[in-house]
Amino acid sequence: MMQFPPITYGLRSLIYAVIFAGLFLFAPCKNSNSQELPRQRIGLNADWRFMRYDANPDSLAYDTRLEITEHNDNVVADTKPTEAIATNASDDVLKKWILPTANDFISDPAKKHQRPPGDPGRGFPFVQYDFNDQAWESVDLPHDWAISGPFYTEANPVIGGGMGRLPVHGVAWYRKKLDIPVTDKGKSMYLDVDGAMSYAMVWLNGHLVGGWPYGYNSFRLDLTPYLNPGGENQLAIRLDNPPHSSRWYPGGGIYRNVWLTKVNPVHVGQWGTFITTEAVSTSSATLNLSLQIENKSISDQQVESVTEVYVLNSLSNRAENSVGTFPRSTITAPKGEKVIIEQSLFLKNPKLWGPPPTQRPNLYVAITRLYSGGKLIDEYETRFGIRSLDFHPIKGLLVNGKPVRIQGVNQHHDLGALGAAFNIRAAERQLEMLQELGCNAIRMAHNPPAPELLDLTDRMGFLVIDEIFDSWERKKTPLDFHLIFPDWHEPDIRAFVRRDRNHPSIIAWSFGNEVGEQYTGEEGAAIAKKLHNIVKEEDPSRPTTASMNFAKPDMPFAKAMDIISLNYQGEGIRDAPAYAHLSGIKTSPLYPAFHQQFPDKLIVSSETASTLSTRGTYIFPVFDGLNAPVSDSVGGDPVSLQVSAYELYTAAFGASPDKVFSSQDEHPYVAGEFVWTGWDYLGEPTPYYSARSSYSGIIDLAGFKKDRFYLYQARWRPDHKMAHILPHWTWPERVGKITPVHVFSAADEAELFLNDKSLGRKKRGRYEYRFRWDDVVYHPGELRVVTYKNGQPWAGDTVKTADDAKGMRLIADKSHIIPDGKDLVFLTLQVVDKDGLPVPRADNTVQFELSGSGMIVATDNGNPADMTAFPTTQRKAFNGLALAIVKAKPGATGQITVTATSTGLTTAETTITIQQTDRK
């Protein structure tokens, strides 16, 4: 059994309730009272100026690179960029000035970078304070420059379906003036960027401060040497997002939050606390604190540290009284250096963190205070949870000694119609729907997430595999991470782990996904081992992994990690008869072979299924087996770019949920799965790359449930009384034709009725996960199912034939909205007939309008082939549904009314109340 020390992890010093209320995150710099608090973390999201070059960008660059002139989705890992030209003259290449930003995350002093003399870019107009940027666009952060479109619809576009057919590429600049009062003189001040896509380079007052190439990592820059307290301060950030740099939609811009951190010269370092635990039980636990103190003053300082621990309530507010205090410690911090203090605390009757529904995600906060000469000089907050993890090769994952089946999904980082720009309410909505599904785990595919997303997984009790790389030295696309891997793999990993290691939701670190080094034997395994070691140096308490879609049990690659993570190999790849004609990797089910080779390691499927479908679309005839690869003649429609939602059709390497369930049930030592994917995402639209977004989600891009939702819910929530019929029952062109009916339910028996006539009662056999009536002849009317479990009535479902569309309904996901400009309400529009029945194939064009102090941010319908720009307020329904996303203006009061109109249909209307705090 692989057992790691019982561990605690916490949230970053960021109060969720305050973020959600928008009272702190977006406060402008000029409103701060920096003289009152020893530490200020001020949101810099408001009032930026933005410009993206239409063509011919400036010659400044991080590094010289090949510019790809062939534009299509076939430019992939093995393509040699023969039609390419080197860009950027050497005088404008700034790599040597950017690399020193990584020094705090490089362990070997000999490998740290020395900044060259000179001040490159100083004469460039955009970095100057007096440059007139009034013609630039005014934006607030987080900002994704590409999401507004337009979509590229032509053949061989500059950005193809793989990256979402949106203008993510190019060079852009952001500028913002900082108001730094003269009273801040003598303080240390840092720019903290949670994510900027990509190759960020930052100037302040004309001086190049530094940067960070990898767009998914958070980074810090020391602004102190370049600031002018009481005077003019101009911040300028250049981003460069190459085409052919990603396999999915990366977004473009400063797409996460940006902060100004003000501290005294002696302070807790960046991500400077790490709390772990030992001997965890409901009666007691030992907490271990590693505290890093940084002294940036000009003299040695004697510093006293005090850390108190408090319980956090369900609203993320800390209790009035502490439950324990670490021993006081006094040390001498040498000037210009960092000092680490190790302390322990014995805590009685801890409230343990664990995943619902059988456990509760209890949280704590540690408040660290630093004193010098009796004066408080810093206060730092660390949120964490107390729980133990065991990774058992037979029993699977045990949390606090209790087995927890991993019922997980993979999630890419975009938020559908909102793009990559992080929004906490949109992310929370995704997680809420996944919890309704029965999901308890998220794999962050394939990059570090926004920090606030991990705050949510902590608070809601999800288990997380936190992942950092999709490629190492061997490329998957010509301009992806492999270009910077030699210089940045170590600092990227160390920064990634340090930022996230206090989160209780994270159970493991993944340092790679399906990397090409699987194919290179000992050479690739050596790289894997090196990355594994870096992770373990930063956090020895969690296991490591890297997901394998090729490496076999007898290959050296799998030996380099603590957990065996299999992508599709567990259930077999292209091994079923329907896949025999396909080329590519062919693998028989490998759970037994990996289990035999690594009997002491936990096995989990880090990607399963890759089942494909579009919501509400059914294509006939229906495949009569368990799964088949989608093609233009089987389950797919190359004209409409749709895939049948009978949930039997897969990517060429994939499998239906039924096959995955069967394989895992036959091998119960497998700890669980992460389905590819929980939600549809922008880009990677297998099998139709002329579309904009994926087909693999259990939930579509707009947040509407596919039929597959209920298949997984039946599996993951076996006590939930539910039955779901598919397809819909409005088929005027199919009268008298075979129209198979499937039912998803946790029941063990089901009887189907058409117009009150029984079509037979069926029992689910062993390794069967759906009820099927494949010979039903369509006649309009009512289709009804009654299910039973253990001989007792369980649940039922009914679908009826709808008439022509006559009206609409608007359904809000909540009745109120906070007026911070960030809270959102998601409105579902449903097209109905004269009796209020949903019209399942309605495609009416709908106009959304809003009155009151708010705006419609975006619309969508979940159709991967819809190339209508997301910000438009006019949207066609797709299979009867459409979505509108609404926000209130900052400081607004009263109500917001949203109206939907469509020719020939009665109008729909709903009202949202504006309130100052969230009462949900």
Side-chain angles (χ1 to χ4, degrees):
M1 178 179 72
M2 184 190 308
Q3 184 171 13
F4 286 79
I7 44 181
T8 64
Y9 310 109
L11 302 175
R12 297 182 60 197
S13 50
L14 186 63
I15 301 175
Y16 169 77
V18 178
I19 295 174
F20 197 82
L23 301 177
F24 177 67
L25 178 59
F26 304 101
C29 185
K30 62 184 179 183
N31 289 340
S32 68
N33 295 314
S34 59
Q35 71 276 12
E36 296 180 359
L37 296 173
R39 174 180 290 262
Q40 287 275 296
R41 192 164 188 255
I42 302 160
L44 294 183
N45 286 353
D47 302 324
W48 289 76
R49 293 286 176 170
F50 166 76
M51 186 279 299
R52 173 175 172 260
Y53 291 100
D54 292 328
N56 303 316
D58 58 71
S59 58
L60 297 171
Y62 171 78
D63 200 1
T64 301
R65 69 165 180 256
L66 296 177
E67 201 68 30
I68 306 301
T69 59
E70 180 185 0
H71 301 306
N72 61 64
D73 286 303
N74 295 319
V75 182
V76 291
D78 296 325
T79 301
K80 295 180 180 179
T82 53
E83 297 183 54
I85 55 173
T87 61
N88 310 116
S90 60
D91 290 344
D92 294 320
V93 171
L94 309 184
K95 175 179 174 179
K96 292 180 180 179
W97 286 266
I98 302 300
L99 284 171
T101 305
N103 282 345
D104 281 347
F105 305 96
I106 297 173
S107 62
D108 184 352
K111 295 182 178 179
K112 293 182 185 250
H113 305 281
Q114 296 297 317
R115 182 178 172 119
D119 212 351
R122 182 169 176 79
F124 191 72
F126 296 171
V127 308
Q128 306 302 317
Y129 184 89
D130 57 1
F131 173 76
N132 185 353
D133 56 19
Q134 293 306 298
W136 291 16
E137 183 181 356
S138 179
V139 300
D140 291 337
L141 309 181
H143 175 243
D144 178 356
W145 77 53
I147 195 59
S148 296
F151 286 99
Y152 296 112
T153 58
E154 66 271 23
N156 296 325
V158 61
I159 299 294
M163 291 176 68
R165 292 186 166 265
L166 285 164
V168 297
H169 63 298
V171 173
W173 285 81
Y174 291 82
R175 284 170 46 92
K176 180 179 175 64
K177 287 181 167 56
L178 302 181
D179 183 359
I180 309 296
V182 69
T183 51
D184 281 338
K185 190 173 183 179
K187 289 184 176 289
S188 293
M189 300 195 202
Y190 301 97
L191 182 73
D192 290 323
V193 179
D194 286 344
M197 191 65 66
S198 53
Y199 290 96
M201 300 192 293
V202 179
W203 283 261
L204 179 64
N205 295 330
H207 302 281
L208 179 60
V209 182
W212 202 281
Y214 189 38
Y216 293 107
N217 255 29
S218 301
F219 64 94
R220 164 174 282 189
L221 296 174
D222 187 357
L223 302 181
T224 312
Y226 312 103
L227 278 168
N228 182 18
E232 299 174 341
N233 291 279
Q234 179 65 57
L235 190 64
I237 300 177
R238 183 189 189 273
L239 302 180
D240 181 1
N241 220 21
H244 305 296
S245 58
S246 177
R247 297 188 298 116
W248 59 87
Y249 177 78
I254 306 176
Y255 67 104
R256 294 179 185 163
N257 296 315
V258 175
W259 309 86
L260 180 68
T261 299
K262 300 181 182 183
V263 289
N264 289 306
V266 179
H267 53 267
V268 176
Q270 182 189 16
W271 306 318
T273 58
F274 184 28
I275 297 177
T276 62
T277 63
E278 297 175 353
V280 172
S281 71
T282 56
S283 60
S284 65
T286 299
L287 278 60
N288 300 314
L289 168 66
S290 177
L291 169 64
Q292 183 193 76
I293 298 173
E294 185 170 10
N295 181 5
K296 303 203 78 170
S297 73
I298 59 175
S299 61
D300 297 350
Q301 298 287 326
Q302 190 174 66
V303 182
E304 182 183 30
S305 69
V306 180
T307 299
E308 296 179 302
V309 176
Y310 297 83
V311 172
L312 288 175
N313 64 24
S314 60
L315 297 177
S316 296
N317 297 318
R318 81 182 192 218
E320 183 176 350
N321 298 317
S322 69
V323 295
T325 303
F326 285 89
R328 288 176 176 263
S329 179
T330 300
I331 55 96
T332 298
K335 64 180 179 180
E337 294 187 15
K338 301 180 180 71
V339 178
I340 294 178
I341 299 174
E342 306 283 352
Q343 298 176 318
S344 294
L345 167 65
F346 182 79
L347 188 65
K348 292 183 178 180
N349 303 316
K351 297 177 179 292
L352 303 186
W353 185 99
T358 59
Q359 302 185 47
R360 292 175 59 88
N362 296 299
L363 294 171
Y364 288 83
V365 61
I367 306 297
T368 299
R369 296 180 177 92
L370 303 184
Y371 297 87
S372 181
K375 179 182 177 182
L376 178 66
I377 59 172
D378 197 12
E379 183 173 301
Y380 188 86
E381 181 178 291
T382 307
R383 298 193 171 201
F384 66 99
I386 300 173
R387 45 85 169 133
S388 65
L389 295 176
D390 295 329
F391 299 86
H392 197 284
I394 301 297
K395 297 178 181 179
L397 175 67
L398 285 79
V399 182
N400 303 320
K402 300 175 182 178
V404 175
R405 182 77 179 172
I406 295 174
Q407 300 175 168
V409 299
N410 287 270
Q411 288 285 94
H412 268 308
H413 77 133
D414 74 75
L415 295 169
L418 303 175
F422 186 78
N423 178 278
I424 198 164
R425 173 56 201 151
E428 182 182 48
R429 173 181 177 246
Q430 289 192 341
L431 295 179
E432 287 172 345
M433 292 188 68
L434 290 172
Q435 277 195 329
E436 180 189 355
L437 172 69
C439 172
N440 66 5
I442 309 291
R443 176 174 174 242
M444 301 296 178
H446 304 290
N447 48 260
E452 295 84 0
L453 181 56
L454 294 173
D455 295 348
L456 285 171
T457 57
D458 286 348
R459 181 174 64 84
M460 298 174 74
F462 282 90
L463 307 170
V464 171
I465 290 184
D466 207 0
E467 188 162 80
I468 184 164
F469 297 139
D470 188 52
S471 61
W472 300 344
E473 290 181 345
R474 293 172 68 87
K475 66 187 176 184
K476 292 183 179 178
T477 61
L479 300 178
D480 66 14
F481 185 79
H482 82 279
L483 295 176
I484 57 175
F485 181 88
D487 291 322
W488 287 92
H489 66 272
E490 180 187 359
D492 273 321
I493 288 178
R494 293 190 189 278
F496 155 71
V497 175
R498 284 185 206 173
R499 190 197 74 170
D500 293 349
R501 62 189 176 180
N502 283 315
H503 286 278
S505 55
I506 297 173
I507 62 171
W509 306 106
S510 174
F511 52 80
N513 172 66
E514 298 181 353
V515 294
E517 283 76 3
Q518 292 176 95
Y519 297 81
T520 59
E522 294 291 350
E523 179 184 351
I527 297 174
K529 184 63 176 176
K530 178 172 66 173
L531 302 183
H532 161 90
N533 290 342
I534 295 171
V535 173
K536 300 300 269 192
E537 287 172 11
E538 294 294 327
D539 178 12
S541 65
R542 285 187 184 88
T544 69
T545 193
S547 294
M548 298 174 287
N549 68 329
F550 174 78
K552 302 301 183 287
D554 58 348
M555 295 180 180
F557 190 87
K559 298 177 182 178
M561 56 210 67
D562 299 318
I563 290 175
I564 300 299
S565 292
L566 302 180
N567 285 7
Y568 311 104
Q569 294 196 90
E571 61 266 23
I573 300 175
R574 299 183 180 92
D575 65 320
Y579 299 73
H581 64 287
L582 299 176
S583 60
I585 298 171
K586 285 185 168 64
T587 300
S588 59
L590 286 181
Y591 288 138
F594 272 100
H595 187 52
Q596 182 177 4
Q597 184 70 25
F598 300 100
D600 296 326
K601 290 188 178 184
L602 178 140
I603 298 175
V604 67
S605 275
S606 43
E607 289 184 25
T608 63
S610 200
T611 305
L612 309 176
S613 62
T614 44
R615 174 191 48 81
T617 298
Y618 307 94
I619 297 173
F620 304 94
V622 176
F623 181 67
D624 60 4
L626 282 179
N627 58 183
V630 68
S631 67
D632 293 348
S633 59
V634 179
D637 183 346
V639 177
S640 65
L641 308 181
Q642 306 301 323
V643 178
S644 179
Y646 272 92
E647 312 300 9
L648 297 167
Y649 307 103
T650 77
F653 52 82
S656 69
D658 311 61
K659 183 186 178 187
V660 175
F661 298 163
S662 175
S663 183
Q664 295 215 344
D665 286 348
E666 290 174 3
H667 306 99
Y669 51 81
V670 178
E673 66 173 316
F674 292 87
V675 180
W676 190 266
T677 54
W679 284 58
D680 279 342
Y681 55 96
L682 290 167
E684 208 172 17
T686 303
Y688 297 119
Y689 267 67
S690 52
R692 67 177 194 191
S693 53
S694 79
Y695 297 76
S696 59
I698 297 170
I699 301 167
D700 76 15
L701 196 72
F704 302 138
K705 300 168 186 174
K706 299 181 184 180
D707 293 290
R708 208 177 332 146
F709 183 96
Y710 302 97
L711 182 55
Y712 280 100
Q713 189 179 63
R715 167 79 167 179
W716 289 348
R717 297 178 61 188
D719 296 329
H720 179 53
K721 293 186 175 182
M722 175 277 298
H724 175 77
I725 296 173
L726 66 138
H728 62 77
W729 211 241
T730 303
W731 300 103
E733 76 281 15
R734 295 195 62 79
V735 175
K737 296 181 179 180
I738 296 293
T739 305
V741 175
H742 294 190
V743 171
F744 301 148
S745 177
D748 50 37
E749 290 186 74
E751 186 171 10
L752 186 68
F753 298 86
L754 176 57
N755 296 327
D756 291 328
K757 180 181 178 181
S758 176
L759 301 183
R761 182 162 170 166
K762 295 180 179 287
K763 290 186 177 182
R764 275 201 297 120
R766 190 181 186 191
Y767 304 134
E768 291 182 355
Y769 305 93
R770 65 175 77 198
F771 299 96
R772 298 178 68 150
W773 290 262
D774 287 330
D775 56 355
V776 177
V777 177
Y778 176 78
H779 292 284
E782 180 182 273
L783 193 64
R784 178 171 57 93
V785 70
V786 178
T787 65
Y788 304 85
K789 194 167 188 177
N790 298 323
Q792 299 299 314
W794 182 252
D797 190 26
T798 301
V799 293
K800 298 180 180 180
T801 303
D803 207 337
D804 294 338
K806 293 296 182 183
M808 296 177 290
R809 278 196 291 261
L810 272 175
I811 305 166
D813 72 327
K814 58 180 187 173
S815 61
H816 62 274
I817 192 167
I818 298 169
D820 60 358
K822 298 297 177 181
D823 190 18
L824 300 172
V825 170
F826 293 82
L827 295 164
T828 297
L829 179 130
Q830 190 175 56
V831 180
V832 297
D833 70 6
K834 59 182 174 52
D835 297 319
L837 290 175
V839 181
R841 289 192 286 178
D843 62 354
N844 306 70
T845 299
V846 180
Q847 177 67 51
F848 293 97
E849 296 178 346
L850 181 147
S851 62
S853 296
M855 66 176 293
I856 296 171
V857 179
T859 64
D860 193 12
N861 57 19
N863 181 1
D866 189 343
M867 298 297 173
T868 307
F870 289 123
T872 184
T873 57
Q874 187 176 87
R875 174 79 53 180
K876 292 186 72 172
F878 176 63
N879 290 332
L881 299 177
L883 175 76
I885 307 172
V886 171
K887 71 177 180 180
K889 295 179 181 178
T893 59
Q895 294 182 325
I896 294 171
T897 299
V898 180
T899 304
T901 59
S902 181
T903 302
L905 304 183
T906 56
T907 298
E909 184 177 284
T910 193
T911 299
I912 303 162
T913 301
I914 298 173
Q915 64 182 45
Q916 299 304 312
T917 57
D918 188 17
R919 297 175 187 168
K920 187 179 62 175

